Each structure stands twice: as C-alpha cells, then as structure tokens.
Amino acid sequence: MTARLCPRVLRTITSAAAIAAAFVVGGRPLRAQSVTPDRGAAALGSTLAGIGTTGRVLTVAAHPDDEDTPIIAWLAKGRHVETAYLSLTRGDGGQNLIGNELGEALGAIRTQELLSARRIDGGRQYFTRAYDFGFSKNAEETYLHWPKDSILGDVVRVVRAFRPHVMVAFFSGTTRDGHGHHQVSGLLAREAYDLAADTVKFPVKGFGLPWTPQKFYRSARQAPDSATLRVNVGEYDALLGRSYYEIAAESRSQHKSQGFGVLQKKGTILGYLSREASRVGPENARREQSLFDGVDTTWTALRATLPATAQPVLDSALRTVTAVRAMYRADDPTPIVTPLAQALRQLRDVRHASGSGPGILIAGRPDAPSSLSRRSPDEAPPALWDALVTTIDRVERALVLAAGVAVEATAPRATFPVREAVKIAVNDSLPVTITVFNRGRAAVQLLNASVAGLGLRPGEAGDVAISPDSAAVLNRWAVAFQPNSPWWRAYGRKQQDWFQAPIDARTEAQQQEQRATMVQARLTIAGESVTVNEPVVYRYADPIKGDQQVPVSAVPGITVNLGNTMEYIRAGVPVERFVPVRIQSSYPHDAEVTVKLELPEGLKADSVERERVLGPDGATILTFRVRGMVKEGRLELVALALHEGALSTSSVFDIRYDHITPMRLYGASGMYLSAVTVKLPPRARVGYVKGVGDTGLEALEQLDIAVEKIEPSMLTSTDLSRFTSIVVGPRAYEASEVLVRNNVRLLDYANKGGTLVVQYGAQDMNRFPGVVPYPMQWSRPAARVTMEQAPVTVLQPTHPLLVGPNRIGAADWADWAQERATYMPSTFDKRYTPLLAMNDPNEPVQQGGLLVAPLGKGRYVYVTLALFRQLPNGVPGAARVLANLVNGQSVVVPKM
C-alpha cells in the first residue's frame, strides 16, 4: 500500500521532537494554572456593576503581544465596556523563549497566550487570516506577502461582527512603527473605520451588515505629548482588590514565549490616546473627557427603537437591576436571585419583541413564550440587539453566580478515539459524569444535560430538583466525529502567507469552544431557564501542582510520529541512520498495529514492516535501521500504520505549557530529508550550549559531526579542552544567567586555543557585561536583513571559515527562509573581521552577519545569520556554513 504525503501538510508542522506531551484544544485552561478568573463576590459584584453598560470598543494591532493591556483592562474591568482586541496575526513568525516551537506551532502557543490574557483582563479576542511571515521593515514589503484586500476584508468582517462604537489602533500606520506588520495594522484599522459601512466594496453577503464606528483613536503610549485623552489605568478597584494596571500586568505576563513578564505596579499610571477621526463629539479633541464623548450609549436612545409595548418592560427590567445592586450583599446573595430571574425574563421578552436580531442565531438560550408582540424577523437594529444580548448574558451570569450553581463534567480518560476509514456508528464513546452543584439557598431544577450536542442516554430522565447544599449527578456518553484541532489550520495556507479557513462573527474563544468537548447543562433558577457550558475534563491530582483538569480531546485511534518533520542527511556518501517511529493507540482495548516505512530511492530498512500489540492507551517506539546512499535534494520518508484494515497516516504534535490550554496539532506521518553534499571537519568534537528555539545540536548530529551538549551550570566542571569547538546557541545569554556568570570559562577556552562560536543574542549584548571579548554596538532597533533573498557579498573569500572544509559560494545563500540575519551589531571593534555584507533594498550595507576575531591562541566567532530559521527548514547552505563554523582544526587547545 502506498501513501503520498501532501507537501503542504508536511510544511505546516515544525519540529516534532521539540513539542512536549499534551492533550487538547479546549474551551478553557487547566484549572490548576495561574490564570484564575474572578470568582465569588468579586465576580458577582463586578458582573452586577456591568449590567446595562452598552459601549463597545475594538482595538487593533498586528501581533499577539502588541495589545495595550492597561487600556483593555481599564475599559473591560473598570468601565465594563465590551472590549475586543483584533490581532492581524497569531505571531507565527516570532521567536520562542520557552521551547523550540516555531512557525504554526508557535502561532498556536501565542493564540492560547492571548486567550489566557483575555481571561484575565476581560477582553474578547479576534484574528484575521494573516500569517506572521517574520519581521518586515515597511508596509510595502508586508503587502508582498499579504493580499491587502483580503486582510482588509477580514478587518471589516470583525468590525461588522463586533460593531464597536469606538476603534483604537495601537500603531500609527507610519514608518515610525518600526515593523511593516505594525504599520499595516495601523493603516488597515483606519481604512476599516472609513469603509465598514460601504456595502459596494464589502457586500453584505460576504462581510455582514454594514456598521459605522463613531470615533477612531490611536495609542499615544510612544508619544504621550500627542495624546488628546489621558486615563488613569492605575485606578484601584476595591471589589477586585487590584488596580487595572496590576490586572493588565498579569495579562501581559501571559506572553511567556516572548519573555514579556512585567511588574504589577501600584499607583497612578496613565494611558494615552489620541483622537484621529470622529463623526460625533467636540471638534476640539483635547476637550474630550471620555472615549464616548458624543456617542449616545444610553438606553434612552435604544429604547426609542423598541416597539411601544416593549418599552415599559425594558424600563421595569432596568429598575429591577438597579434595585438588585442596592440589595446585594456579598456574604449572602440569595435575596437577589428572584429579582434577577425577573429581570432576565423581562429582558428576554424585550428581545423577543425586538425581532430575531441582525442575522444572528443565539444557540442554547431559548426564550420562554412572550406576551409581547414580535416584529418580523431580522428587524432589530444592530445596536439594540447588541445591547440586549450583552445585558442578558450578564444577567444570566449574575443569576448563576448568585444562586451558587457550579457544573462539573469529568471523564475517566483524557482522550477518546475517532476511527479512520470506518463508519461513525462504531466510533468509541466516552462516559462522562455531569455533576450540578447547588451551593446556594435557592431551589434549582436541572432540566437536561448533553455532551457535544448529544442527548440523554436511553433509560435516563432529566428534570431533577436540586435542593440547597446538594448536587445532581447524570451520566452521559460522548461520541466524536473528528479530532479536535486548531480550527484555523483546517485548510492550510495560501501562498504560505495567509490561512484559508474563513473567519466569521465568532470570537476566538467561541471558535475553539465550538470544537471542544463541552457539556451543556440546562437549568431553571427561580423559574427562569439558563444554560451553563463547561468543558469535559479528565481530573487528577499531581503531587506537586495539585488539582489538574485536562480538557478531554477526541483523537485519531492510531497515530504515527517520526522524530522530526525535517532532517538533514549527507548525500553522495554511505549513511546509516536509526529511525524511531512512535505509535500511539487511543483505544481502551488492545490494538494490533503493523508499521512500515516508505523510503526514498537509495535507502533500505532492516525490515519491511513490524507488528506490535498495543495495550489500552498504549504507545511504543519501533526503531528501524536505515542504510544506503542518496542523491542531493529534498526527499520524503513516510511511516504508515495499519490497524483492522484502516491505514493511519496521522501524526500528532502535543503542546503543553502550564500557562496555556494544551493543544494538539495534526499533520502527516512523514518527514522530509534534506540531502546535502557537505564535507565534515576532520576529527571534530563539538561542545554545544543550547539556546532558544535552537536545533543546531540536532543538525550537527544529523550531519554525522560528533557533538555533546553542555549545560551552563557544568561549564565550571567540564573539561573543555576535549572539544575542537564550542557553540553557544541563539539568545542563550538571555535565557541563562548561569551562562552569563560562567562565560569567563568559554572566553578562557578560546584564549587557550579553542574556537568559540556564539550565535546572535539580545538586541544589545552589552546588557551582559564581559560576554563579548571586544566592544560591539547595536543601533535601536538592532539592524536586520529581513529579505531572505537579499544578495550576500563575501568580503573575505579566502578566509578559513568560508573555504574549509566547504567552499561557501552563491548557491549556499539560495532558498533561505524568512530572513538572512537578525540583531546585527552596527559597529564593532577593529579586531573583528567582517566576512559578509548584506542589506535589504534601499538600506545601508550591514557587515555584522559573520564576525571573527583572534582571542589569545584561539578565535571568537559571532554569528547573527538566522541559522535558527534555516536549520529546521533543511536549507542546504546553512548546513555547509554550520560545518565550517565548527571547524576548529586550525587551532590546538591546551589541556584545561
């Protein structure tokens, strides 16, 4: 049987070996994590305070970590404004300080980091389809990758879906933004503000009903003097026990992959905004006192759009909410349960009378029969509909909190399988226990509960009364039709720079919740129905972390993983390689699996196929010994698994960090082999200090160069004299204070005759005194060459690093990925010899890509070439450059 892998699928997964074990994409994070939503009196008091607020603000920027969390927290938590952040990208092209994931895997991590941030600061989250292809210096370069009309259309879709009164762009839309993506986000935000009501350019059918935002601001945090509005984001909230800046700092610190942890400062801290355009309000922007000056967000204006019969009902509901706030007691919210249910019933009557809404269906929230007359469908003005939906949602949440209702849904396993190539009817199911707790004093009725849209199991009945201080337990069965996976990757990327999965009116959290394994518990509290949604979790006690709750995931029944999705292999010489194949069963019973390899021409395995019986949820690694000789080029190696007549070609890559919801990324069960002609440095033995997002050590192993990992803490006790060269990985000094302290040992190694190769570090390595042997200076921002095809000029063509053992030529600079070099020093001591020159179009020539300097009897090499991008992509020239860099045979290292 032959299976061919889709190259696009293979390209979408980064290093499998770098991704740690995890489980799922789910609706919320592990509950034992540091991100804890407001609970109890704080949650209820804050929710009550926000009932009736109708303002909406959309903020826009380019990357996950570009958001202004103090402004978002101040608006969402402090003013109870519906606040959303639209990030054009998921940050796929960034760097990673917590692991080796890059590309789409990093984008998945950063998506979850943003959702963690929004759970803290109270905002909502949207994305466009733009893929972060890496650093860009201007808008023109960015538009070479992103089709402007398509991404602008996405921004317009979000504006029309969220319907903000005010828009805030976090960037200026000019070259001073310092990044082409930033500049484009500022430009597209303003264009969307201008064009969101244009149904000729953006027809209703494809982009939703037109909307006209009333005001447009830009962040002035980089230029406070230009601000027309200043707000105290350091304002203290006694109910929450923190200032909005402290909340924002915790939110900001979720961007751990980017190293953006910040202090939770107290005291007055100002946020700065500058009004750029307005359709309302005072002409002089500096006379404004609020973002909403001139914008009528009162219920008085909305009330006038209701049918006459509904207006007094709305008035009564709002009076009831006011009374509820007055009677609320944090230690006993029971007295507000009945009036909250009354207000909810009245608001639902008003919504029923107003029409079905602007093309929006509200799932899982049935209205009770209403005595009010109903408009014809789809007649509700969008602003009225938004205000009613938001207010009803908040009253529902307040009612559940006041009643002390909690819902838990647990399963005995973290995964349940979806079979391949068989009928859905025989898919395995998973028992789910649903427990509804009534921890309050009011009576609660459980009407029904379902898992992933399934109904009651035969023989069970709903409609269970739950007395105070008691619980009801129901058992259900979950059946999966397809594995849970990040939704935006479903159709791959077009031209590599934007995703093909369409976006719609749903927020990112709603998109993910729809695909998660969820429980819906339908209750009545004080006679009014509410629905509580919770993820199904596998729960266990970790001896160190305590209560751990992992959202349950549907997974393929059998998955097949290779060690990487890309590896180097030497071409034109006999090679021997051991290929580990990991097979995993998700079945709760034994599974007999046959595994075979499909190898490229020139390679043969020691056996055609292997058979194994996997126990329940079992896994094993089968290692094939592969020998032969291959020609240059990009080759494919495929692993196949056969189980009960079904062929599995699915691989799964698990991502798990404590601060985010676990995820699974799926791809094809194969890898590329980049077959390169490369000469090896004779008798090389390399010591390697791993950096951030660093696959250099693995690349050396794949090229058959002897290499040994050195932990920074072991530098003082390791005999460094046995290494012909030592490599320090990218950003290693940023990641390890121990390395900074022990760096004197590395410099001493070079002084005594060793070759020390240091890959790029921070934007300014002078942050770490004594790390570099001779002075270097970095501009701010540090120089980069972002055009991967930028010409490279060899300044010293006969230098040993460029001729031995491989002569580096023009072909070695072909097919580079994303960028040439990053964080290059702009000036440097004369003892450094620059070997290369390069530059982006219309920019000064940079010579800081590869520097070498004598150091005692040895040499010091500083490399800002973006090898960390090239090596995982199997770029042939990068392999040859790396082999030359570790050629330390021209020096003799005395015993240390």
Side-chain angles (χ1 to χ4, degrees):
M1 186 177 295
T2 300
R4 302 310 301 161
L5 294 181
C6 171
R8 174 182 59 76
V9 174
L10 270 172
R11 283 196 298 268
T12 60
I13 303 292
T14 49
S15 173
I19 303 180
F23 291 101
V24 307
V25 171
R28 61 180 60 185
L30 302 181
R31 304 235 179 120
Q33 295 166 357
S34 61
V35 180
T36 303
D38 297 332
R39 293 183 293 187
L44 179 52
S46 183
T47 302
L48 289 173
I51 294 174
T53 302
T54 65
R56 305 173 76 85
V57 175
L58 176 66
T59 65
V60 183
H63 306 113
D65 54 21
D66 290 338
E67 90 276 57
D68 191 331
T69 51
I71 291 294
I72 293 174
W74 178 80
L75 284 167
K77 293 286 191 181
R79 299 301 177 266
H80 307 289
V81 170
E82 283 288 295
T83 308
Y85 173 47
L86 169 60
S87 175
L88 297 191
T89 77
R90 298 175 186 271
D92 325 74
Q95 301 172 34
N96 185 358
L97 287 178
I98 61 174
N100 284 351
E101 300 90 347
L102 295 174
E104 290 187 23
L106 177 58
I109 290 173
R110 298 185 71 183
T111 295
Q112 294 300 333
E113 288 180 335
L114 262 186
L115 292 180
S116 291
R118 295 295 82 81
R119 282 188 284 268
I120 293 168
D121 60 34
R124 302 181 184 275
Q125 187 60 52
Y126 291 95
F127 294 95
T128 75
R129 291 173 293 167
Y131 177 75
D132 181 355
F133 58 85
F135 188 82
S136 169
K137 292 186 175 178
N138 52 57
E140 291 74 23
E141 180 185 339
T142 300
Y143 284 138
L144 293 176
H145 296 263
W146 297 345
K148 178 183 175 182
D149 288 346
S150 297
I151 306 305
L152 174 59
D154 288 351
V155 179
V156 170
R157 282 188 188 93
V158 172
V159 171
R160 291 184 177 182
F162 185 67
R163 293 191 283 270
H165 299 96
V166 177
M167 293 180 64
V168 179
F170 289 146
F171 290 104
S172 68
T174 67
T175 55
R176 74 169 183 264
D177 293 329
H179 192 316
H181 299 180
H182 296 169
Q183 185 180 357
V184 164
S185 75
L187 292 169
L188 294 184
R190 177 56 195 268
E191 289 187 58
Y193 169 82
D194 293 333
L195 297 173
D198 187 339
T199 56
V200 175
K201 188 172 180 62
F202 299 103
V204 171
K205 184 177 181 180
F207 298 90
L209 293 175
W211 181 253
T212 304
Q214 297 300 296
K215 302 171 79 173
F216 183 87
Y217 290 81
R218 294 194 189 274
S219 170
R221 56 186 172 180
Q222 302 299 327
D225 291 343
S226 68
T228 60
L229 184 65
R230 294 167 174 80
V231 297
N232 180 16
V233 296
E235 179 184 345
Y236 177 69
D237 189 314
L239 185 64
L240 302 178
R242 293 194 290 175
S243 72
Y244 305 121
Y245 186 87
E246 289 175 278
I247 295 169
E250 183 185 356
S251 170
R252 179 70 171 168
S253 296
Q254 299 312 300
H255 297 290
K256 299 183 190 302
S257 68
Q258 306 305 296
F260 280 153
V262 296
L263 294 174
Q264 296 185 23
K265 297 179 181 179
K266 297 177 175 63
T268 299
I269 299 173
L270 296 181
Y272 301 93
L273 298 168
S274 177
R275 195 185 81 184
E276 183 174 296
S278 181
R279 296 180 170 99
V280 295
E283 290 187 12
N284 185 350
R286 294 186 180 273
R287 295 178 57 188
E288 287 189 331
Q289 301 297 311
S290 163
L291 277 176
F292 293 97
D293 276 5
V295 181
D296 192 346
T297 60
T298 66
W299 280 99
T300 302
L302 297 171
R303 182 182 185 276
T305 65
L306 281 169
T309 56
Q311 292 177 6
V313 181
L314 174 65
D315 296 340
S316 177
L318 296 178
R319 285 195 300 268
T320 301
V321 169
T322 301
V324 163
R325 292 196 191 101
M327 71 173 69
Y328 169 57
R329 283 177 46 194
D331 62 335
D332 182 14
T334 304
I336 69 172
V337 170
T338 298
L340 276 173
Q342 176 187 336
L344 179 59
R345 187 178 307 112
Q346 291 174 320
L347 288 166
R348 285 174 169 169
D349 284 347
V350 173
R351 183 178 67 185
H352 178 87
S354 69
S356 61
I360 299 175
L361 297 177
I362 304 297
R365 300 187 185 277
D367 283 343
S370 172
S371 59
L372 298 180
S373 59
R374 183 182 179 91
R375 284 179 172 170
S376 58
D378 297 332
E379 283 190 5
L384 171 64
W385 184 261
D386 291 338
L388 286 171
V389 168
T390 299
T391 302
I392 289 170
D393 284 346
R394 292 177 178 182
V395 174
E396 284 182 344
R397 181 164 186 254
L399 180 58
V400 171
L401 289 168
V405 170
V407 177
E408 291 184 349
T410 58
R413 301 164 55 210
T415 60
F416 61 116
V418 178
R419 294 177 186 261
E420 300 192 38
V422 293
K423 294 181 180 179
I424 287 176
V426 297
N427 279 8
D428 285 75
S429 58
L430 185 74
V432 176
T433 299
I434 304 167
T435 307
V436 182
F437 297 90
N438 180 359
R439 300 188 290 182
R441 300 183 183 180
V444 174
Q445 197 83 5
L446 172 60
L447 301 179
N448 199 350
S450 61
V451 180
L454 302 179
L456 290 167
R457 189 171 68 174
E460 287 193 359
D463 204 8
V464 179
I466 310 175
S467 301
D469 292 323
S470 64
V473 179
L474 295 179
N475 296 310
R476 297 291 182 268
W477 292 86
V479 178
F481 299 156
Q482 62 182 9
N484 302 123
S485 185
W487 67 273
W488 65 90
R489 302 180 67 249
Y491 304 111
R493 285 187 274 126
K494 188 168 185 177
Q495 299 172 347
Q496 297 301 297
D497 294 324
W498 51 301
F499 293 99
Q500 291 303 286
I503 67 169
D504 54 30
R506 290 169 292 181
T507 66
E508 182 64 26
Q510 290 169 333
Q511 291 274 16
Q512 295 198 17
E513 185 173 299
Q514 181 180 352
R515 293 161 175 82
T517 307
M518 302 291 293
V519 156
Q520 286 188 342
R522 188 168 168 230
L523 317 166
T524 59
I525 302 173
E528 195 63 18
S529 66
V530 294
T531 300
V532 178
N533 297 313
E534 289 291 332
V536 181
V537 299
Y538 167 63
R539 190 172 185 180
Y540 67 97
D542 182 278
I544 305 300
K545 299 177 181 179
D547 187 357
Q548 299 291 289
Q549 299 187 27
V550 182
V552 165
S553 172
V555 298
I558 301 293
T559 55
V560 190
N561 275 53
L562 294 166
N564 292 292
T565 56
M566 171 68 74
E567 289 187 3
Y568 285 108
I569 189 170
R570 295 169 64 202
V573 297
V575 293
E576 179 182 61
R577 181 158 297 186
F578 293 92
V579 179
V581 181
R582 185 180 191 276
I583 51 174
Q584 168 80 53
S585 170
S586 296
Y587 294 115
H589 50 75
D590 289 350
E592 184 174 331
V593 183
T594 300
V595 179
K596 64 178 293 186
L597 293 184
E598 288 190 350
L599 298 170
E601 183 180 354
L603 295 179
K604 290 186 177 181
D606 56 353
S607 59
V608 175
E609 60 185 33
R610 308 273 182 88
E611 293 184 355
R612 289 291 187 274
V613 176
L614 300 178
D617 292 314
T620 192
I621 295 177
L622 304 177
T623 301
F624 291 81
R625 186 181 187 183
V626 175
R627 294 177 172 180
M629 184 183 300
V630 295
K631 297 178 181 179
E632 279 190 342
R634 180 161 290 196
L635 315 174
E636 287 184 26
L637 185 155
V638 181
L640 308 172
L642 191 65
H643 169 65
E644 294 185 354
L647 182 67
S648 174
T649 60
S650 295
S651 64
V652 60
F653 302 93
D654 298 328
I655 302 177
R656 184 170 186 171
Y657 292 98
D658 283 347
H659 67 298
I660 59 174
T661 301
M663 291 163 288
R664 283 182 165 234
L665 276 65
Y666 292 95
S669 58
M671 70 175 174
Y672 287 121
L673 296 174
S674 178
V676 298
T677 300
V678 57
K679 296 178 182 178
L680 306 185
R683 299 179 299 281
R685 185 173 185 81
V686 181
Y688 204 105
V689 181
K690 290 277 281 187
V692 171
D694 185 9
T695 60
L697 185 148
E698 292 77 13
L700 289 170
E701 289 177 332
Q702 294 158 16
L703 294 171
D704 302 322
I705 297 174
V707 59
E708 179 180 327
K709 183 179 179 181
I710 307 174
E711 294 292 346
S713 60
M714 299 301 293
L715 283 171
T716 56
S717 58
T718 299
D719 177 12
L720 303 182
S721 65
R722 56 197 174 92
F723 299 115
T724 56
S725 61
I726 295 177
V727 178
V728 177
R731 300 183 76 172
Y733 293 102
E734 272 191 282
S736 174
E737 293 182 2
V738 175
L739 176 60
V740 175
R741 290 199 302 269
N742 292 339
N743 187 66
V744 64
R745 282 277 291 166
L746 294 175
L747 296 179
D748 188 49
Y749 161 81
N751 267 295
K752 292 179 179 178
T755 294
L756 176 60
V757 180
V758 176
Q759 296 183 62
Y760 87 100
Q763 291 212 36
D764 185 352
M765 287 286 283
N766 292 323
R767 289 169 46 194
F768 312 111
V771 162
V772 297
Y774 312 120
M776 300 183 192
Q777 299 298 326
W778 284 260
S779 61
R780 296 198 59 86
R784 307 171 74 150
V785 176
T786 62
M787 302 293 286
E788 59 268 30
Q789 70 273 27
V792 177
T793 301
V794 176
L795 302 176
Q796 303 286 336
T798 61
H799 193 279
L801 285 179
L802 298 178
V803 297
N806 302 282
R807 183 170 291 277
I808 303 302
D812 293 302
W813 307 112
D815 300 322
W816 277 46
Q818 190 162 320
E819 56 190 332
R820 286 285 194 208
T822 189
Y823 298 174
M824 292 183 286
S826 298
T827 60
F828 37 82
D829 188 276
K830 64 182 180 181
R831 282 168 285 192
Y832 292 105
T833 299
L835 304 186
L836 305 172
M838 61 191 75
N839 62 283
D840 283 326
N842 304 314
E843 293 202 354
V845 172
Q846 301 292 335
Q847 296 186 354
L850 179 56
L851 304 174
V852 60
L855 186 58
K857 297 179 181 179
R859 65 185 173 197
Y860 179 91
V861 183
Y862 191 72
V863 188
T864 64
L865 295 173
L867 297 179
F868 77 102
R869 303 273 189 208
Q870 315 317 314
L871 298 176
N873 282 282
V875 175
R880 289 159 51 85
V881 168
L882 181 63
N884 281 20
L885 290 174
V886 299
N887 182 17
Q889 294 304 305
S890 61
V891 293
V892 178
V893 184
K895 182 91 174 162
M896 299 181 69

